[in-house]
Amino acid sequence: MIAGYAQTGGHDDEALDLFCQMQLAGVKPNAKTFAGVLPACSNLAALETGMEMHGEIIRSGLQSDIFVNSALVDMYAKCGCTGRAQILFDRMPQRNAFSWTAMIVGYMQVGDVDKARKLFEKMPERNVVSWTGMIVGCAQNGQSLEALKLYREMKEAGMKPDLKTFASVLSACANLAAMEQGMEIHQEIIRSGFQSDVFVDSALIDMYAKCGRIDKARDVFDKMPRRNMVSWTAMTAGYAMHGYGKEALEVFEKMQHSGMKPDSVTFICVLSACCHAGLVDEGRKYFDRMIQCYHIEPAMEHYGCMVDLLGRAGLLSEAIGFINSMAITPDATVWVSLLGACRVHNNVELGEQVAGHLFELDCKNPAPYVLLSNIYAAVGRWDGIDRVRKMMKDRGVKKMPGCSWIEVNKEVHAFRVEDKSHPQTEQIYAELEILSSQMKAAGYVPNTKFVLSDVEEEQKEQALCYHSEKLAIAFGLINTSPGTVIRVIKNLRVCVDCHSAAKFISKIVAREIVLRDAIRFHHFKDGRCSCGDYW
């Protein structure tokens, strides 16, 4: 009974309760009991309870049992105590695939990918669970390229992917917007007979949405024989990130009519959809409905969405009033949303006040320094930019470098600003020179408003020429056939000039350019952007 509860999702508390009842009844637990109940501690991250059981195991003389030891390693690893887990693992006279995988997953959980990889390479015999643990860990730790590489190696080793493998590798494709590889994996899923699984289908929706194919995401969603909260939320989130606010709200309303009760995450997606589409009244309505109808207490993410919604719409006074009325102390997420609005609306005075709050909260976060610098640059306050630079230098704060990725022929290529490391650098830069001339002839004027240097206009324009997203677009144009959609992702928010340039390029080359930045999607076609310049 204890093992049954622990192995069935969501019944870990019952497993621990039964274990206590068993002890109160005077029944002595054996090795199978401990091996059965410890997973409940792992799932609940109940370290203290797990340590008490470890003590009982030692007193019962069961510490050399391979299954008990493996369960202990798993418990400590999942509770974040990789040091203790490693000591137990090293002392084990025998190790099984479960104990090896538990250590690998444990290191991945705390972000130590290198240690996980070393253990994986030492593993005498790998199974689908250990391969999947590595793929999941890499995808979750920002190493999606490595996750895709591992997936290929897994198949070459003759391993057959399972549901969790497919879901995790689709997540890696989504992170990189590697649609060609994602579509190939979709075909593998169909051949494996997993296309009707609700979790795999939800991962497919997320992958297609994040790769810019919201139409394919909707196709998967519509064909699902059954849907859960994850699939409804994934579809809502997909529309939200593309700026299709009304479509997102339609999906949300259908979810409610289906009898599915939205949770906290769903409402974050709904509020985000309102924010990107400028649906202020609807955002207010859904925020109130969340509290009054569903009795969900707003988390920091909900407050952040509302401040972003009001701020983007230029309702800065209302945004400040909203922050002052919050039931919890606003964190950096909320203040950054307001500072971003100050940048959009060139409100220097409020921007300085908000930045001051952020410097007190987290002086190492580069975002407020960059946003404040942009506000100063927009109004020509070079003395302000110099002060911000000095603060950053004195505090050891470094701006995150911009990076853009593009997938061509199932290979992902990465570019940084003024990058000259790519084998096709000469052709890429030549293509940009041609495009620059064509854009200027079509009426393009470089937007130097946010260039953070007090230099001549020509030098400012030069600084904008080779941003990472422009390099990626140029690479895509010279390596794909006419008419092919160019799909680029960027780790930061697209700059104003690159946004303008992408509109001109889309018209000049008669191509659709889909750009996913850190905030949302932009679909450029015939000289226009899907965001309607509301971003």
Side-chain angles (χ1 to χ4, degrees):
M1 280 297 292
I2 291 170
Y5 272 128
Q7 290 166 13
T8 307
H11 296 285
D12 300 300
D13 287 316
E14 288 95 326
L16 293 179
D17 187 51
L18 267 179
F19 181 76
C20 292
Q21 289 180 40
M22 175 183 168
Q23 288 182 303
L24 290 171
V27 180
K28 191 177 180 183
N30 59 20
K32 283 187 178 180
T33 315
F34 283 116
V37 74
L38 278 167
C41 298
S42 302
N43 296 338
L44 294 169
L47 179 61
E48 195 173 326
T49 306
M51 289 175 73
E52 287 173 7
M53 286 186 191
H54 191 178
E56 289 183 48
I57 288 163
I58 294 169
R59 289 190 291 275
S60 302
L62 299 171
Q63 66 268 35
S64 8
D65 182 274
I66 185 171
F67 298 106
V68 172
N69 260 327
S70 297
L72 280 168
V73 168
D74 182 61
M75 183 274 294
Y76 280 118
K78 283 185 178 167
C79 288
C81 299
T82 49
R84 290 187 182 187
Q86 186 71 60
I87 291 167
L88 275 173
F89 180 79
D90 291 340
R91 288 176 181 170
M92 288 177 73
Q94 270 184 295
R95 298 178 191 129
N96 56 16
F98 180 78
S99 54
W100 280 94
T101 305
M103 280 307 309
I104 289 166
V105 172
Y107 278 122
M108 284 295 192
Q109 193 174 298
V110 296
D112 200 334
V113 180
D114 289 339
K115 280 189 179 176
R117 182 82 208 208
K118 284 173 186 174
L119 272 172
F120 183 71
E121 287 170 354
K122 288 179 185 176
M123 198 171 175
E125 205 170 315
R126 299 165 186 168
N127 60 16
V128 66
V129 180
S130 54
W131 278 102
T132 301
M134 282 296 296
I135 293 167
V136 171
C138 286
Q140 291 176 346
N141 283 286
Q143 297 195 19
S144 294
L145 280 172
E146 181 66 14
L148 292 176
K149 180 171 171 282
L150 281 163
Y151 178 71
R152 289 192 292 271
E153 289 174 5
M154 174 186 175
K155 290 198 296 177
E156 287 165 7
M159 287 288 164
K160 192 176 178 181
D162 63 10
L163 291 170
K164 194 170 182 182
T165 316
F166 282 128
S168 58
V169 76
L170 284 170
S171 174
C173 292
N175 293 342
L176 294 167
M179 193 184 72
E180 291 174 34
Q181 293 175 75
M183 290 177 74
E184 194 174 85
I185 291 162
H186 189 178
Q187 292 305 309
E188 290 178 39
I189 289 165
I190 293 169
R191 288 194 295 271
S192 302
F194 292 141
Q195 71 268 28
S196 296
D197 180 83
V198 68
F199 294 104
V200 171
D201 280 348
S202 298
L204 281 167
I205 292 167
D206 182 62
M207 183 275 291
Y208 279 124
K210 287 180 177 173
C211 288
R213 289 301 302 270
I214 195 69
D215 57 329
K216 279 190 170 288
R218 185 59 192 251
D219 187 51
V220 172
F221 179 78
D222 287 340
K223 289 176 180 175
M224 289 179 75
R226 66 185 184 91
R227 302 176 185 124
N228 63 4
M229 180 64 67
V230 176
S231 48
W232 282 104
T233 302
M235 196 65 244
T236 306
Y239 277 129
M241 72 176 79
H242 283 265
Y244 301 143
K246 290 181 180 177
E247 291 84 348
L249 299 184
E250 282 172 13
V251 170
F252 179 67
E253 291 297 336
K254 283 182 181 178
M255 183 191 80
Q256 292 177 101
H257 292 147
S258 75
M260 193 73 68
K261 189 178 177 183
D263 63 7
S264 178
V265 177
T266 312
F267 272 106
I268 292 171
C269 298
V270 169
L271 294 174
S272 176
C274 294
C275 181
H276 291 314
L279 304 174
V280 178
D281 292 337
E282 288 86 345
R284 292 191 188 106
K285 179 182 79 175
Y286 285 112
F287 184 80
D288 291 340
R289 186 189 293 184
M290 176 182 77
I291 299 167
Q292 293 165 11
C293 299
Y294 292 101
H295 309 292
I296 296 172
E297 286 296 319
M300 203 63 75
E301 293 85 353
H302 301 107
Y303 285 119
C305 283
M306 285 302 295
V307 171
D308 198 12
L309 171 70
L310 297 169
R312 281 176 198 250
L315 304 171
L316 297 177
S317 297
E318 187 178 343
I320 294 164
F322 183 85
I323 291 172
N324 292 334
S325 69
M326 283 173 58
I328 53 179
T329 304
D331 71 355
T333 308
V334 175
W335 288 114
V336 165
S337 295
L338 184 57
L339 185 58
C342 293
R343 184 197 65 81
V344 171
H345 299 288
N346 293 331
N347 193 317
V348 179
E349 186 180 349
L350 181 58
E352 288 176 330
Q353 292 173 25
V354 174
H357 280 297
L358 282 161
F359 296 149
E360 289 174 14
L361 282 170
D362 182 8
C363 67
K364 295 290 185 182
N365 182 0
Y369 296 94
V370 174
L371 285 169
L372 184 58
S373 294
N374 284 334
I375 292 170
Y376 284 140
V379 295
R381 287 274 303 275
W382 308 113
D383 58 325
I385 293 173
D386 289 340
R387 282 200 311 275
V388 173
R389 280 192 180 132
K390 186 176 185 308
M391 277 194 288
M392 290 180 76
K393 186 178 179 181
D394 292 344
R395 296 170 184 178
V397 180
K398 290 186 178 179
K399 179 187 172 183
M400 182 187 292
C403 187
S404 296
W405 294 265
I406 182 171
E407 183 193 33
V408 174
N409 297 325
K410 299 178 189 176
E411 187 177 349
V412 177
H413 301 259
F415 296 92
R416 294 183 184 275
V417 63
E418 297 183 349
D419 199 335
K420 292 187 178 178
S421 63
H422 196 278
Q424 288 184 269
T425 292
E426 195 174 323
Q427 299 99 304
I428 293 167
Y429 276 65
E431 178 72 10
L432 280 176
E433 286 295 322
I434 295 167
L435 286 171
S436 180
S437 298
Q438 290 175 325
M439 285 192 295
K440 286 178 180 177
Y444 161 75
V445 177
N447 191 323
T448 60
K449 188 176 177 182
F450 296 111
V451 175
L452 305 180
S453 301
D454 185 16
V455 293
E456 294 297 320
E457 194 66 18
E458 188 178 339
Q459 289 175 276
K460 288 183 181 181
E461 290 180 19
Q462 190 66 26
L464 296 169
C465 284
Y466 307 115
H467 279 191
S468 63
E469 54 267 60
K470 286 177 182 167
L471 295 172
I473 290 169
F475 172 80
L477 289 172
I478 62 178
N479 285 283
T480 57
S481 56
T484 305
V485 177
I486 303 295
R487 301 180 191 280
V488 175
I489 60 170
K490 187 179 180 181
N491 63 334
L492 304 175
R493 188 179 187 272
V494 63
C495 82
V496 176
D497 180 70
C498 286
H499 187 270
S500 174
K503 287 194 285 186
F504 276 92
I505 294 170
S506 71
K507 188 167 187 177
I508 289 164
V509 300
R511 300 262 206 124
E512 183 179 358
I513 299 169
V514 180
L515 174 59
R516 185 183 103 196
D517 69 7
I519 308 297
R520 57 164 294 160
F521 268 92
H522 298 269
H523 294 255
F524 301 96
K525 192 174 183 180
D526 298 326
R528 293 186 296 274
C529 180
S530 60
C531 73
D533 295 335
Y534 186 85
W535 56 288

